Each structure stands twice: as C-alpha cells, then as structure tokens.
C-alpha cells in the first residue's frame, strides 16, 4: 500500500473510528441491559402467588428490601426505568456525535486551513503543522456543536458546502437535541420558559419508545457518516497519520527526519498500534517522505 496525502485508504477518519467505538459501546450496553430487564419483567409477570416480585427474582442482600414486592408496582417502575434507560442512552449517543463533529471539523480545518476563507487546498495544513502554526478555531467549533441544528448545519455549509445526506437529518437531529435538553436539564421533564408555580405535582417524564430510540440512533449514525465521507474526501485525506507522525517525531527530539529502515519499522509499529492494524513498510516510508518534503 502506498501513502497518498490526499486519499485516505480506509475512507473513514480516525475521528469516525472513535465515534463508531462509542456507538458500539452504547448499543452493547443498552441491549445487554434490555435483555436483563426483559427477563426480570417476564419473570414477575408470570409469577405464581403468593410469590412476590422480590421472591420471584430471588433477590437477596441488604438492598433486596428496596424492591417493590407487588408485581403491578414492580412492572410499572420497570417500564419507567426502561424509559429512563432509553433517554440516558440518547444523551450518551448525542454526546458522542457532538464530540465527533468537534473532532472531525477541527481535523479538516487543520488539514485544509484556507477552507475557512473559501480557498480550499490553497494551503497544505501539513506545512503549518510542521512549523507550528495553529489558528484559533474555538468559535467555529462552537458553532457546529452548540445551538439549534439549523444553525449548526448553516455553519458546516459555509465551511464545506452543501452536504445533502447530512441536511436531510437536520430536522430530526433538532428533535433529538430538544429531547436531550429535557432529559439533561430538567430531570427528564419538558423544559419550559415559565414553569407552573400553582402546583406541586410532579410533571410526567418525557417518554421515548424503543422504536423511536432505535430510529434516533440510526439518524445519529448516518449523520456522522455523511459528514465523514465529505470531509475525508475533500479536506482531510490521510492527514491524521501525519499528525501522529509529527507527535511521534517530537518525542524523539530529533533535528531531522530519519529515513533509515530501522526507524521506519519502529514507526510502522507505533502507527499500527494507534490504528489497530499495520499498513506495511512502503506506506510508512511514503508517509515519512511526504512529511519531510512538505514545505
């Protein structure tokens, strides 16, 4: 495999790999928990009196007394807990998406610094990386990770142009944002401008059915992939391994870039560990040469 500064061999960015790992973790945790809860619910629904919910589940230990003994009450709270579980994992998934957007957009801006001025590829970010120029992109990153999704998408569009496969999800992403805010800021209740001060009753928690939960996870996943495909192809290329090499070289405190076989093989192992697979000697030699020649 040969190194190509502007073509990412795996097509997906390191940022997307990280997001995908978070996404997998959310799915694994949710569905393993769902299986356990479903088993408990089935057991209680089919218990034979005088067995209680606590007895049917063979609950022991000091906290067993906290479990409601009445089957109907247990089932009620089980269903409410399932709703909380879905809501919590929506929060986790949206957090992963926002972290991904922050990372992938920053990577694109570092790789293609002139894109922020509408002059994509006028400057190779590798040159800026080598000489230590790093612009402040904090306001740009905030604009793509905070606020309503119509505003976030407008910021992305100004930078990178129209991305139809992302734009199509903007409306649903904003519904997810509003739901997440209710869960995160109002203890699962709808966040209103002015609460009703004439009542002390507990407001009903926002509900989310499993079908909607799965649908929203799919929207989140597709939105990340849509942005990744465009930014990797048009602005990032194979920049992330170059950043890795830059950091690796800095640790050596070497005044020049070594090109000997032993050095390249050592770096090959370091990159392989970071990526989870090895691309081979020729790829790493090409990467080292591209880094050294950039000016």
């Amino acid at each position: 495999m040969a190194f190509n500064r502007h073509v990412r061999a795996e097509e997906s960015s390191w940022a997307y790999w990280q997001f995908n790992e978070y996404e997998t973790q959310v799915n694994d945790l949710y569905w393993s928990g769902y299986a356990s809860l479903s088993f408990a619910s089935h057991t209680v629904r089919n218990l034979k009196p005088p067995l209680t919910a606590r007895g049917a589940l063979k609950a022991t230990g000091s906290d067993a007394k906290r479990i409601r003994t009445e089957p109907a009450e247990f089932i009620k709270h089980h269903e409410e807990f399932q709703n909380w579980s879905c809501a919590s994992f929506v929060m986790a998934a949206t957090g992963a998406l926002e972290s991904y957007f922050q990372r992938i957009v920053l990577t694109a801006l570092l790789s293609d610094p002139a894109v922020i001025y509408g002059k994509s590829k006028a400057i190779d970010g590798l040159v800026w990386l080598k000489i230590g120029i790093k612009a402040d992109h904090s306001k740009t990153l905030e604009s793509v990770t905070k606020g309503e999704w119509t505003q976030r998408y407008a910021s992305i569009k100004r930078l990178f142009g129209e991305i139809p496969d992302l734009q199509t999800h903007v409306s649903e992403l904003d519904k997810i944002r509003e739901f997440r805010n209710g869960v995160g800021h109002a203890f699962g209740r709808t966040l209103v401008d002015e609460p009703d001060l004439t009542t002390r009753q507990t407001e009903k928690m926002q509900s989310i059915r499993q079908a909607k939960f799965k649908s929203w996870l799919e929207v989140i996943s597709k939105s990340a992939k849509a942005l990744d495909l465009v930014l990797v192809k048009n602005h990032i290329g194979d920049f992330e391994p170059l950043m890795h090499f830059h950091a690796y070289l800095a640790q050596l405190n070497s005044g020049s870039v070594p090109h000997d076989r032993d050095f390249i093989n050592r770096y090959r192992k370091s990159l392989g560990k970071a990526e989870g697979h090895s691309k081979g000697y020729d790829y790493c030699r090409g990467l080292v040469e591209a880094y050294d020649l950039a000016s």
Side-chain angles (χ1 to χ4, degrees):
M1 178 188 297
F3 175 80
N4 187 326
R5 162 70 180 91
H6 298 293
V7 178
R8 175 88 177 128
E10 292 87 351
E11 297 183 353
S12 298
S13 67
W14 286 20
Y16 185 77
W17 287 358
Q18 183 188 65
F19 168 78
N20 190 247
E21 288 180 1
Y22 289 147
E23 185 180 37
T24 299
Q25 186 179 48
V26 165
N27 275 283
D28 287 345
L29 292 175
Y30 174 78
W31 288 107
S32 63
Y34 177 77
S36 300
L37 289 169
S38 296
F39 176 77
S41 178
H42 174 79
T43 301
V44 172
R45 287 179 191 276
N46 292 279
L47 64 79
K48 304 293 186 197
L51 201 61
T52 66
R54 192 184 303 165
L57 295 173
K58 296 180 172 56
T60 60
S62 60
D63 290 325
K65 63 181 181 295
R66 301 177 188 276
I67 300 173
R68 291 288 188 125
T69 58
E70 308 88 346
E73 284 295 307
F74 177 87
I75 295 300
K76 173 189 172 185
H77 294 307
H78 166 270
E79 290 173 349
E80 290 175 351
F81 180 80
Q82 183 63 28
N83 191 53
W84 266 111
S85 180
C86 283
S88 298
F89 280 107
V90 167
M91 288 188 67
T94 53
L97 182 67
E98 289 170 351
S99 294
Y100 164 75
F101 267 59
Q102 180 187 53
R103 177 169 174 170
I104 194 64
V105 169
L106 178 58
T107 302
L109 295 175
L110 294 178
S111 175
D112 189 7
V115 71
I116 203 165
Y117 305 108
K119 302 291 184 181
S120 180
K121 300 222 171 86
I123 301 169
D124 187 349
L126 176 56
V127 177
W128 280 23
L129 179 69
K130 287 180 65 176
I131 60 180
I133 298 176
K134 188 174 182 180
D136 180 6
H137 295 303
S138 56
K139 291 189 181 299
T140 300
L141 296 178
E142 184 175 350
S143 74
V144 301
T145 56
K146 306 291 184 183
E148 297 180 2
W149 270 96
T150 50
Q151 298 170 345
R152 300 187 202 191
Y153 181 73
S155 295
I156 289 169
K157 182 180 175 180
R158 280 195 297 273
L159 286 170
F160 309 114
E162 194 77 73
I163 305 178
D165 287 345
L166 174 59
Q167 194 279 331
T168 192
H169 295 303
V170 166
S171 176
E172 201 66 19
L173 284 169
D174 211 56
K175 293 177 184 177
I176 297 171
R177 179 190 64 83
E178 290 178 347
F179 178 85
R180 190 275 302 274
N181 286 346
V183 174
H185 302 306
F187 199 59
R189 273 72 189 178
T190 301
L191 195 62
V192 295
D193 292 332
E194 193 168 302
D196 183 358
L197 304 182
T198 65
T199 181
R200 65 175 294 279
Q201 300 300 316
T202 302
E203 295 180 15
K204 187 177 180 181
M205 179 187 169
Q206 297 181 85
S207 62
I208 174 172
R209 296 189 179 276
Q210 192 176 87
K212 175 59 73 174
F213 171 70
K214 292 192 291 184
S215 171
W216 278 358
L217 289 189
E218 184 177 10
V219 166
I220 288 169
S221 181
K222 287 183 175 179
S223 298
K225 189 61 178 176
L227 183 61
D228 206 71
L229 286 171
V230 171
L231 297 197
V232 168
K233 180 180 179 181
N234 298 335
H235 305 285
I236 297 173
D238 222 7
F239 185 66
E240 287 161 304
L242 288 165
M243 289 194 292
H244 180 271
F245 179 71
H246 180 75
Y248 179 86
L249 198 62
Q251 293 178 345
L252 301 180
N253 291 319
S254 176
S256 59
V257 180
H259 286 262
D260 60 273
R261 192 174 190 89
D262 286 344
F263 171 78
I264 292 173
N265 274 325
R266 287 196 300 274
Y267 178 66
R268 176 177 59 82
K269 292 177 182 178
S270 177
L271 181 62
K273 184 177 180 180
E275 291 197 318
H277 63 275
S278 176
K279 292 196 177 105
Y281 176 85
D282 289 342
Y283 173 91
C284 289
R285 182 184 63 187
L287 185 155
V288 170
E289 289 174 352
Y291 180 91
D292 197 23
L293 292 172
S295 61

